[in-house]
Amino acid sequence: MIQAAIFLIFPLCMAMAACSDLLTMTIPNRLSVILIASFLAIAPFAGLSLHDMLMHLAGSGIVFAVCFSLFAFGTMGGGDAKILTASALWFGFDQGLLVYMIYVSIFGGLLSLAIIAMRSQHDLIMAYGIPMPRTMMHKKKIPYGIAIGAAAFVAYPSSPLMLSALGIAQS
């Protein structure tokens, strides 16, 4: 049962966040709440010690501090900050979190470049009738939840909870 929760909850929430951000440029708060609550419910049964859980909370706290600063300066959306903080909780405060943040940066940069290129070709896209969400073509924001979701899918297989569910000893 715990393994099924580990295999499903995180990927499903991240896929929903990415799809929601793509289509509506918003990420529902309930996804962040589900990620946090399910981590706190699953972690003790997945073999994480109290120290490990506190390290996961510390990593998430640091991500929250950085995201809150970026939000305060208007460079990151609130939904992106919340989902990134909640998802960081699943990676802990070790190399897994660093790898996840590197993937978020890489995918975020590629996504930003792609959207800027698409917006510069707005008339051509409209002429060919290529279906694009209206919010993506007209708003000046970047739906960063897509990059966060993509990074989560790439980094999650090496996360402490996934390794624990697979029965792989962490070193």
Side-chain angles (χ1 to χ4, degrees), residues 9-69:
I9 294 172
F10 183 80
L12 186 60
C13 285
M14 297 310 294
M16 290 174 65
C19 289
S20 177
D21 209 15
L22 170 68
L23 299 173
T24 67
M25 296 288 269
T26 59
I27 299 173
N29 290 335
R30 66 181 167 271
L31 294 176
S32 299
V33 171
I34 290 169
L35 284 173
I36 293 168
S38 59
F39 173 82
L40 294 174
I42 291 170
F45 300 106
L48 267 63
S49 68
L50 179 61
H51 177 265
D52 292 335
M53 288 178 60
L54 291 174
M55 293 306 289
H56 280 253
L57 288 168
S60 183
I62 291 170
V63 170
F64 172 74
V66 172
C67 288
F68 183 80
S69 299

Side-chain angles (χ1 to χ4, degrees), residues 59-60 63-64 66-67 76 83-85 87-89 91-92 95-108 144 148 151-152 155:
S60 183
V63 170
F64 172 74
V66 172
C67 288
M76 181 176 230
I83 201 71
L84 191 56
T85 298
S87 63
L89 184 59
F91 287 94
Q95 186 177 359
L97 181 60
L98 178 62
V99 168
Y100 177 49
M101 291 299 129
I102 290 171
Y103 281 131
V104 169
S105 300
I106 291 168
F107 288 128
Y144 217 75
I148 295 168

Side-chain angles (χ1 to χ4, degrees), residues 106-123:
I106 291 168
F107 288 128
L110 293 172
L111 175 71
S112 297
L113 290 173
I115 289 176
I116 289 169
M118 283 190 304
R119 287 179 181 160
S120 70
Q121 299 298 320
H122 180 263
D123 295 335

